[in-house]
Amino acid sequence: MEYVFIIIFAVFVNNVILSQFLGICPFLGVSNKVSTAVGMGAAVIFVMTLSTLVTFILQYYVLVPFNVEFLQTIVFILVIAALVQMVEIILKKVSPALYQALGVFLPLITTNCAVLGIAILVIQKEFNLLEGLTYTVGISVGFTVAMVLFAGLREQIDLGGTPKGLKGMPIVLITAGILAMAFMGFAGLVKI
């Protein structure tokens, strides 16, 4: 039951984009279409989960035993960069259309602070491996939910009549703020 609470907390209460403000760049940049947002979300779920697994193992089986925890950030960045390159190569072979649709935003996963932030948070919160992976899957699913919801809203905004002064980024930021306030309604639902 604890793992269910961790997932609910990660997806809704502590949404990585709307509550922690991590991963804003891909949130604003790739959320033009729902299909692209789903693809980016799937890539983030894969990279974030795999990077948490690898960084957890490196933290507790390499960095801590050799007393070099101060290298945590550098090691984590290198691991994430390598994993993103692997995802990019796989997408290029498996789904060229998705690879083209993501374009320049796929390398943004490398610099997506959400991926690094969650890998570090799992260590800081002192989760065991299963709890950490559950939390990471919940956070990355929450990232995807926020991206897809926001992309759907942006598609509807593009269809409607937006006043000239609000077209473009102003209405996007207003919509993001309203979506963040909607997710605040989940605060207090679950505490970990």
Side-chain angles (χ1 to χ4, degrees):
M1 192 63 166
E2 179 184 340
Y3 295 106
V4 172
F5 289 141
I6 290 173
I7 289 175
I8 291 170
F9 177 77
V11 173
F12 297 110
V13 178
N14 198 23
N15 188 283
V16 71
I17 294 175
L18 302 172
S19 296
Q20 297 181 29
F21 305 111
L22 296 173
I24 295 293
C25 188
F27 178 68
L28 295 175
V30 185
S31 60
N32 293 332
K33 295 181 180 177
V34 172
S35 59
T36 308
V38 168
M40 178 61 121
V44 167
I45 289 171
F46 177 72
V47 169
M48 199 178 281
T49 305
L50 195 57
S51 68
T52 298
L53 175 65
V54 173
T55 56
F56 186 93
I57 291 169
L58 284 173
Q59 175 74 21
Y60 290 110
Y61 294 103
V62 176
L63 299 179
V64 171
F66 290 107
N67 201 23
V68 289
E69 295 94 348
F70 60 90
L71 293 174
Q72 179 188 58
T73 304
I74 294 168
V75 169
F76 286 12
I77 289 171
L78 292 173
V79 166
I80 291 166
L83 289 173
V84 169
Q85 289 301 315
M86 183 178 73
V87 168
E88 191 170 0
I89 290 168
I90 291 170
L91 274 181
K92 199 173 194 177
K93 297 268 186 205
V94 174
S95 177
L98 181 58
Y99 177 77
Q100 284 290 0
L102 292 175
V104 73
F105 297 109
L106 189 59
L108 283 177
I109 296 176
T110 305
T111 58
N112 186 345
C113 56
V115 178
L116 177 61
I118 298 310
I120 292 173
L121 273 175
V122 166
I123 303 299
Q124 287 178 348
K125 289 182 180 278
E126 298 178 356
F127 285 135
N128 63 36
L129 183 58
L130 190 55
E131 291 171 341
L133 288 175
T134 304
Y135 180 71
T136 301
V137 168
I139 285 288
S140 56
V141 167
F143 180 92
T144 304
V145 166
M147 288 275 294
V148 170
L149 283 173
F150 192 59
L153 290 171
R154 284 185 72 175
E155 285 181 357
Q156 289 299 313
I157 288 170
D158 289 344
L159 294 175
T162 305
K164 187 176 182 179
L166 292 177
K167 284 192 185 285
M169 199 50 67
I171 194 68
V172 167
L173 293 174
I174 290 169
T175 306
I178 293 170
L179 188 59
M181 288 190 326
F183 269 72
M184 284 177 56
F186 294 112
L189 182 67
V190 177
K191 296 235 186 244
I192 0 183

